[in-house]
Amino acid sequence: ELCPRQANHAFSRSRTILLALFPRGLVRRHAFAARMATATSDVSLKGAAPGAVLSAIGASLFPGEDVTIKDSSGRSGAKSFLLSKGGDLVALVKVEGDSLLNSHPNTQLRMKLATTALREAGIAPALLMTGPDFYVEAAAGASVMKDFFHFDDEAAPRAELAKLLARFHAVPTDWWAPVR
């Protein structure tokens, strides 16, 4: 069994992906994602206001449903939005922006290849919709973080974290070859 320090260190580099993977959220994610294939759009959302983002995505993914949107963007230059229905988080929208994260041509491709490999292994949120400058992923549940550096031991038992870390490390790394 991993001690808290080992588990926190092991997960810190992949926190963004792994928070979305914790099993508590997988049941709801799979139930939601299983009823639809990945939708596509030709609408560009770069620079769009939250209402316009919700209109463009909501009509395709949640027709006639009461969905709310919250801007959760950080300082990367991209825009992130959380979509909720009835108080439950249902999806994350990520709109490309001008950022150092996009400064190398392989950066976006690496992220796409890695998340595809994780999705194929069943440990990353389902891709619900793509567009020319955005994508929408299914929500994977609530955060299991106590704070920025620690997990909540009740919400994320160490044994479950260890199992998840093992699944994560079992994913083949051949996705890396095209961008090596």
Side-chain angles (χ1 to χ4, degrees):
E1 183 173 318
L2 295 175
C3 75
R5 187 174 187 188
Q6 290 170 317
N8 285 330
H9 177 72
F11 277 66
S12 65
R13 282 191 251 154
S14 303
R15 179 176 32 254
T16 303
I17 294 172
L18 290 173
L19 285 178
L21 306 181
F22 195 71
R24 286 179 161 231
L26 291 178
V27 173
R28 181 170 55 204
R29 174 179 60 84
H30 288 304
F32 172 70
R35 59 188 170 108
M36 60 179 46
T38 302
T40 57
S41 171
D42 58 359
V43 175
S44 175
L45 295 178
K46 189 173 182 178
V53 171
L54 182 58
S55 293
I57 292 167
S60 295
L61 297 180
F62 311 101
E65 298 182 54
D66 186 24
V67 177
T68 59
I69 188 167
K70 177 182 176 186
D71 188 334
S72 62
S73 305
R75 296 183 184 187
S76 73
K79 296 294 279 184
S80 296
F81 301 96
L82 301 174
L83 302 181
S84 299
K85 188 170 60 171
D88 291 327
L89 185 62
V90 292
L92 166 80
V93 180
K94 190 72 167 193
V95 181
E96 292 177 10
D98 299 321
S99 166
L100 287 177
L101 297 176
N102 296 330
S103 63
H104 190 279
N106 279 345
T107 302
Q108 291 289 347
L109 181 57
R110 284 181 185 137
M111 288 299 293
K112 182 178 181 178
L113 293 172
T115 55
T116 298
L118 292 171
R119 282 187 185 103
E120 288 172 357
I123 56 175
L127 186 62
L128 303 178
M129 184 177 211
T130 61
D133 57 1
F134 73 93
Y135 62 90
V136 182
E137 290 180 328
S143 172
V144 295
M145 297 300 291
K146 181 176 175 179
D147 57 40
F148 192 74
F149 297 104
H150 303 91
F151 288 99
D152 177 339
D153 289 333
E154 189 175 312
R158 292 182 194 141
E160 293 298 317
L161 290 172
K163 289 177 191 173
L164 178 59
L165 187 58
R167 288 179 60 206
F168 184 82
H169 284 285
V171 174
T173 57
D174 54 348
W175 63 266
W176 178 259
V179 289
R180 184 169 284 191

